[in-house]
Amino acid sequence: MVNHLIYDTMSNKIIFSKLLIIFISINIFCSFKPKYVKQIYVQFGVIINKNTIKSNLENEKWFPNGDGFYLSLLTLKNSSEIEKILNQKKFVTLPIKEDLPVGEIYNKLKSLENGYYLLEVDKEDPRDFKILTLNTTNKEIIFYYQYY
């Protein structure tokens, strides 16, 4: 009888452990946010729902001294998401009026005409900047920041 109780207790612990692992795995998977969602929020305070993104291309390059860049090109599933994003901050109408430091994405940013953008340039080092553009023609978001 004692062996039967020990077996039942061990069996319950194993079942409980498996259920706990499954629960934790599901919780981690469901709460995962892609890097671009986190970075756009951290850098600009703008919330983008990961479920509204049709495609994404990310690229980043950092050097040991901390210099580098991060680039994310996002395509939205529908244009109604642009309005939700625009309502969160005071965006400026494209084309970009400010001078940007020449860098990895300079030509692409300067050629944008239809849409809106947010831009912040570091006052101490104008080579350091971050930008978020919303292209209303092709429902594309460009998120870029660099530190040099």
Side-chain angles (χ1 to χ4, degrees), residues 36 40 44 48 56-57 70-76 85 91 94 96 105-113 116-118 129-135 138-145:
Y36 62 85
I40 290 172
F44 285 107
I48 295 180
N56 175 40
L57 171 70
Y70 172 82
L71 168 66
S72 185
L73 302 172
L74 312 171
T75 304
L76 296 168
I85 295 168
F91 282 80
L94 286 170
I96 297 171
I105 197 164
Y106 176 80
N107 291 332
K108 173 78 173 165
L109 291 174
K110 281 305 219 179
S111 68
L112 295 174
E113 293 183 4
Y116 305 90
Y117 71 98
L118 292 174
F129 74 97
K130 54 188 174 184
I131 188 165
L132 178 66
T133 66
L134 304 172
N135 188 324
N138 60 8
K139 301 180 290 190
E140 183 180 75
I141 296 174
I142 298 174
F143 171 56
Y144 179 82
Y145 61 91

Side-chain angles (χ1 to χ4, degrees), residues 99-101 120-129 146 148:
D99 289 328
L100 296 176
E120 292 182 20
V121 179
D122 188 332
K123 290 180 174 84
E124 293 178 18
D125 188 349
R127 297 176 301 163
D128 298 346
F129 74 97
Q146 71 179 29
Y148 287 102

Side-chain angles (χ1 to χ4, degrees), residues 4-135:
H4 190 275
L5 287 175
I6 293 173
Y7 178 74
D8 284 345
T9 304
M10 290 297 289
S11 177
N12 287 341
K13 286 183 180 179
I14 291 171
I15 291 171
F16 177 76
S17 297
K18 287 181 180 180
L19 288 174
L20 184 62
I21 290 170
I22 290 170
F23 175 74
I24 290 171
S25 298
I26 290 172
N27 193 17
I28 289 171
F29 179 74
C30 290
S31 64
F32 172 74
K33 290 183 181 164
K35 183 173 184 172
Y36 62 85
V37 170
K38 293 177 192 173
Q39 286 300 317
I40 290 172
Y41 181 75
V42 167
Q43 298 292 331
F44 285 107
V46 173
I47 298 170
I48 295 180
N49 183 344
K50 68 179 179 181
N51 298 324
T52 63
I53 304 300
K54 181 169 65 173
S55 65
N56 175 40
L57 171 70
E58 288 181 291
N59 187 16
E60 66 181 313
K61 184 175 184 179
W62 298 102
F63 299 99
N65 67 352
D67 291 354
F69 71 90
Y70 172 82
L71 168 66
S72 185
L73 302 172
L74 312 171
T75 304
L76 296 168
K77 291 179 182 175
N78 56 53
S79 55
S80 65
E81 291 304 316
I82 291 176
E83 290 301 319
K84 291 178 185 176
I85 295 168
L86 288 173
N87 290 332
Q88 297 179 46
K89 293 280 183 173
K90 278 191 142 182
F91 282 80
V92 181
T93 306
L94 286 170
I96 297 171
K97 296 144 191 77
E98 296 86 355
D99 289 328
L100 296 176
V102 177
E104 298 286 327
I105 197 164
Y106 176 80
N107 291 332
K108 173 78 173 165
L109 291 174
K110 281 305 219 179
S111 68
L112 295 174
E113 293 183 4
N114 300 318
Y116 305 90
Y117 71 98
L118 292 174
L119 173 66
E120 292 182 20
V121 179
D122 188 332
K123 290 180 174 84
E124 293 178 18
D125 188 349
R127 297 176 301 163
D128 298 346
F129 74 97
K130 54 188 174 184
I131 188 165
L132 178 66
T133 66
L134 304 172
N135 188 324

